[in-house]
Amino acid sequence: MQRDIGSFPFSPTVRVKLKNAGFSTVEDLTGLKPSELSKEVGISKEAALEVLQLVKGELDPVHSHQSSMPTTSKSTTSSQRLAPSQQSKTGSTLTALDMLRQEKSHQPIVTFCQDLDEMLGGGVQLGKITELCGAPGVGKTQICMQLCVDVQIPQCFGGVGGEAVYIDTEGSFIAHRVADMAKAAVQHCTCIAASSQTTEEQEALSTFTVNHILSGIHVFRCHNYTELIALVNLLPDFVTEKNKVHLIVIDSIAFHFRHDFDDMSLRTRLLNGLAQNLIRIATHQNLAVVLTNQMTTKVGGHNGHSHLVPALGESWGHASTIRLILFWRNSQRYATLYKSPSKQEMTVPYDITLSGVRTVTQISSESNISTSDHASEDGDTNPRKRLRVGDDESR
């Protein structure tokens, strides 16, 4: 009786309307007639009848008795989506030691920027939501495309050996740019294999090609928030089918939620539901979820000055496990670890080259920056676009 509504083969429109009306599990539909469901959800009586018929098996007394057993239908569904090595943990209590061992066994996704990887604890972590916030042109999409390439690096080279899902809401995914990054990644692994000359690495290189990398990135284009919510609801089934997926990117999460919303309470509810689904996917499927977020101006801080903050409001800030603020400083890109449960706040430089995201080899003295100088969410200054020459002197 606790089976999630999203696990049934409803149409995306009906699925979204059910979620918006507050129907999350099969139990919520108990005792409803088609006419009552039609009125509450805003669908036709025929569609309501079809919904009730599809969930009828779950509402049957026999199934209800089975759902009261220690292994509930919801737990069974979750265990089917987990890797076999994790199924034994489903529905059981984990100790802190078990969780620590699991986290240590998860190989993070590298970014090819050594400073950025060290700040994140080795790279983008699996099982967590990482949010990239920054002004246009600072490199959010570039980092996302780089991660889609890096997640496919074979395990013998220190990679994850997986695939990626890229949800594009802005139309900013560029296949030619990804091909450039993929070519550089293949060359990098080729150099490593040439120096070590191990059989395992040579065999991995035979399939680690540009075409193989591009075919391992599953791109979805969402044109409105309804399509985005429907797609996220369908992701668990897709990830189960494509069991090599270890990364989900949404670029960007804010694009469809910053306009066309007269009812802000509705927007908050939709965002909260979206966040919960993404958290569930990240933890149950043991994959990394990376979101990009835009910046907006907050007027009248504690000192009366306006500054840039991540969009979607303060409540959305709780959705991500890790939050990075990307910004410019004297023509140099920087990333600040603003929120992390295990790492201290710090700021590091990074570079965007033809080959992708890379470590900054040399920084001019004018570009040196400390954590206290960077723009923060609530500080006197904030991440901003590239500064004009002479901005520092005029302050």
Side-chain angles (χ1 to χ4, degrees), residues 253-314:
I253 193 69
F255 186 71
H256 293 312
F257 288 96
R258 295 191 68 183
H259 52 79
D260 298 335
F261 269 97
D262 297 327
D263 186 355
M264 299 305 292
S265 62
L266 172 61
R267 189 186 83 159
T268 301
R269 291 196 300 271
L270 292 177
L271 283 171
N272 288 341
L274 191 62
Q276 291 300 317
N277 284 337
L278 291 173
I279 292 171
R280 188 180 302 112
I281 292 171
T283 54
H284 286 191
Q285 308 285 1
N286 186 32
L287 50 79
V289 175
V290 176
L291 314 173
T292 68
N293 195 359
Q294 301 170 352
M295 305 295 287
T296 187
T297 303
K298 183 176 182 180
V299 181
H302 68 273
N303 58 0
H305 295 164
S306 61
H307 54 277
L308 293 180
V309 297
L312 301 181
E314 296 180 359

Side-chain angles (χ1 to χ4, degrees), residues 328-395:
W328 287 97
R329 175 80 173 191
N330 294 335
S331 301
Q332 175 62 58
R333 292 178 171 93
Y334 286 90
T336 292
L337 183 60
Y338 183 81
K339 175 187 176 185
S340 172
S342 58
K343 297 293 180 179
Q344 65 178 0
E345 181 178 344
M346 63 184 300
T347 299
V348 298
Y350 66 97
D351 202 3
I352 304 294
T353 68
L354 181 62
S355 299
V357 181
R358 292 296 184 269
T359 306
V360 177
T361 55
Q362 184 177 0
I363 306 176
S364 63
S365 58
E366 294 180 353
S367 298
N368 286 338
I369 185 172
S370 63
T371 303
S372 60
D373 293 331
H374 85 275
S376 66
E377 257 182 285
D378 302 309
D380 295 343
T381 56
N382 224 66
R384 49 207 157 87
K385 297 182 183 178
R386 189 194 307 262
L387 293 176
R388 297 188 301 273
V389 176
D391 276 3
D392 283 350
E393 291 79 356
S394 62
R395 284 193 279 176

Side-chain angles (χ1 to χ4, degrees), residues 116-344:
L116 203 54
D117 288 338
E118 290 178 356
M119 182 176 70
L120 293 171
V124 175
Q125 303 294 324
L126 300 184
K128 294 179 173 59
I129 297 180
T130 302
E131 184 181 15
L132 308 176
C133 309
V138 77
K140 302 186 297 295
T141 298
Q142 298 289 321
I143 294 176
C144 289
M145 292 189 293
Q146 181 71 64
L147 291 172
C148 288
V149 172
D150 296 349
V151 73
Q152 301 184 60
I153 295 176
Q155 294 180 356
C156 59
F157 291 103
V160 178
E163 295 181 354
V165 170
Y166 197 105
I167 302 175
D168 185 9
T169 66
E170 300 184 7
S172 55
F173 183 86
I174 304 174
H176 286 293
R177 180 64 179 135
V178 178
D180 292 337
M181 295 178 176
K183 182 179 179 181
V186 171
Q187 291 175 347
H188 177 76
C189 292
T190 302
C191 292
I192 295 176
S195 60
S196 61
Q197 295 183 346
T198 63
T199 304
E200 184 182 9
E201 291 179 350
Q202 294 296 334
E203 291 177 353
L205 276 180
S206 63
T207 57
F208 188 60
T209 63
V210 174
N211 288 341
H212 175 79
I213 293 173
L214 295 178
S215 63
I217 304 175
H218 310 278
V219 183
F220 295 88
R221 181 73 169 94
C222 293
H223 298 87
N224 52 61
Y225 73 88
T226 304
E227 291 183 2
L228 176 59
I229 293 174
L231 177 57
V232 171
N233 287 333
L234 295 173
L235 275 179
D237 295 333
F238 180 83
V239 172
T240 301
E241 179 184 352
K242 306 286 185 179
N243 57 10
K244 292 188 67 176
V245 172
H246 283 80
L247 172 68
I248 294 176
V249 172
I250 301 181
D251 182 25
S252 71
I253 193 69
F255 186 71
H256 293 312
F257 288 96
R258 295 191 68 183
H259 52 79
D260 298 335
F261 269 97
D262 297 327
D263 186 355
M264 299 305 292
S265 62
L266 172 61
R267 189 186 83 159
T268 301
R269 291 196 300 271
L270 292 177
L271 283 171
N272 288 341
L274 191 62
Q276 291 300 317
N277 284 337
L278 291 173
I279 292 171
R280 188 180 302 112
I281 292 171
T283 54
H284 286 191
Q285 308 285 1
N286 186 32
L287 50 79
V289 175
V290 176
L291 314 173
T292 68
N293 195 359
Q294 301 170 352
M295 305 295 287
T296 187
T297 303
K298 183 176 182 180
V299 181
H302 68 273
N303 58 0
H305 295 164
S306 61
H307 54 277
L308 293 180
V309 297
L312 301 181
E314 296 180 359
S315 62
W316 174 255
H318 300 286
S320 59
T321 313
I322 300 166
R323 172 176 270 189
L324 295 180
I325 306 291
L326 312 180
F327 62 100
W328 287 97
R329 175 80 173 191
N330 294 335
S331 301
Q332 175 62 58
R333 292 178 171 93
Y334 286 90
T336 292
L337 183 60
Y338 183 81
K339 175 187 176 185
S340 172
S342 58
K343 297 293 180 179
Q344 65 178 0

